Amino acid sequence: MLAQRHHVRLAPHIALLPMALVVLGAYIGGALWTLRTSFTASRTFPSDNFIGAAQYVRLFDNERWLLSLHNLAVYGVAFIVACMVIGFLLAVFIDQNVKGEGLLRTVFLYPYAMSFIATGLVWQWLLAPGSGIEGAVRQMGFPGFSFDWIVHQDLVIYTVVIATVWQASGLVMALMLAGLRGIDPEIYKAARLDGIPAWRVYLQIVLPMLGPSVATVFLLLATAVVKLFDAVVAMTQGGPGIASEVPAKFIMDHLFLRSNIGLASAGAVTLLVPVLALLAPYAYARSRRARLNGGHA
């Protein structure tokens, strides 16, 4: 009887195994095909004319690609830091048993349910010079107020940061809040009895205890940085000029508009490297922790 129940529990997982293998095979197969194509002279159609690492040399000789990497680095640092700080502060605020907690959580998390295209279009209007935020402030009696970052070549990437931080901070809040709710309330009581300021409690005690939550949040945000595309297309189209160009847009433009599959594939493989560099240590740490927990059990 016990064996029969065990078999019944395993049946759904066994049924899903072929589908999982198909998905995994398609993912790995697509990645390998892209890697192979990056070493060929493929243009409009795939080619078997292998040219070694020439596409990668061309890629890193391309000023547009180098600018896109610079923009991604600036965006990534600002986006991750802002999201983690704002998300953590929101989680701390909600964790104080405030009234309307359910409503607040919904309000803060709702932007994440929106598509990046919708978010980009809304913020494009809000940041447009002469209207949106600038127009509203001027109508409030500040005619000299100017907020033209979206048309400023040196500042336009920060407008993308503003829009995407607004969208992603709610997710960070939800994950951080889940971590905070797992901390023993007695720790806060002991800290108050010892006269430790609240900011030191959160900075020196709570944050270290949120290590797994912080690692998960960082991984999600970092992969979102690498994938940045929709918000840029919706807000700036990579402009003014190519000032807000990002690697994903460079790849898509060369794949569909410039018919250069080989160069686009080289860019895609280059973007895959940091993703694997982020995922591999995380996957190793999780598997090692699972083995240790299993051995302890």
Side-chain angles (χ1 to χ4, degrees), residues 98-114:
V98 296
K99 292 182 179 180
E101 176 185 325
L103 176 62
L104 288 174
R105 281 188 302 183
T106 302
V107 169
F108 293 144
L109 191 57
Y110 177 75
Y112 189 72
M114 298 175 60

Side-chain angles (χ1 to χ4, degrees), residues 34-42 47-59 262-263 265-266 269:
T34 302
L35 178 63
R36 176 187 179 278
T37 305
S38 69
F39 292 107
T40 68
S42 301
S47 168
D48 291 330
N49 181 18
F50 286 89
I51 56 175
Q55 296 287 15
Y56 293 91
V57 174
R58 292 171 188 165
L59 184 68
L263 191 63
S265 298
V269 172

Side-chain angles (χ1 to χ4, degrees), residues 67-89:
L67 175 62
S68 72
L69 292 179
H70 174 266
N71 286 340
L72 193 68
V74 173
Y75 169 84
V77 172
F79 172 74
I80 292 175
V81 171
C83 278
M84 295 189 77
V85 171
I86 295 173
F88 178 70
L89 293 177

Side-chain angles (χ1 to χ4, degrees), residues 54-62 65-66 250 263 266-267 270:
Q55 296 287 15
Y56 293 91
V57 174
R58 292 171 188 165
L59 184 68
F60 284 93
D61 280 341
N62 191 307
W65 173 256
L66 297 178
F250 176 95
L263 191 63
T270 303

Side-chain angles (χ1 to χ4, degrees), residues 135-166:
V137 174
R138 287 180 178 179
Q139 290 179 6
M140 292 168 59
F142 301 92
F145 178 80
S146 177
F147 191 35
D148 60 350
W149 288 13
I150 200 167
V151 295
H152 196 293
Q153 289 193 342
D154 294 332
L155 299 174
V156 63
I157 194 66
Y158 296 104
T159 64
V160 182
V161 172
I162 292 171
T164 50
V165 166
W166 174 82

Side-chain angles (χ1 to χ4, degrees), residues 155-225:
L155 299 174
V156 63
I157 194 66
Y158 296 104
T159 64
V160 182
V161 172
I162 292 171
T164 50
V165 166
W166 174 82
Q167 183 172 34
S169 293
L171 175 65
V172 178
M173 176 273 300
L175 295 173
M176 291 289 194
L177 182 60
L180 288 173
R181 292 289 164 84
I183 295 177
D184 188 351
E186 295 300 322
I187 293 177
Y188 300 104
K189 294 178 181 178
R192 282 197 297 268
L193 290 175
D194 290 340
I196 303 176
W199 67 269
R200 287 190 60 188
V201 174
Y202 281 103
L203 188 63
Q204 298 179 357
I205 300 176
V206 174
L207 267 179
M209 296 179 69
L210 289 177
S213 297
V214 172
T216 300
V217 166
F218 177 80
L219 183 64
L220 291 174
L221 295 179
T223 52
V225 168

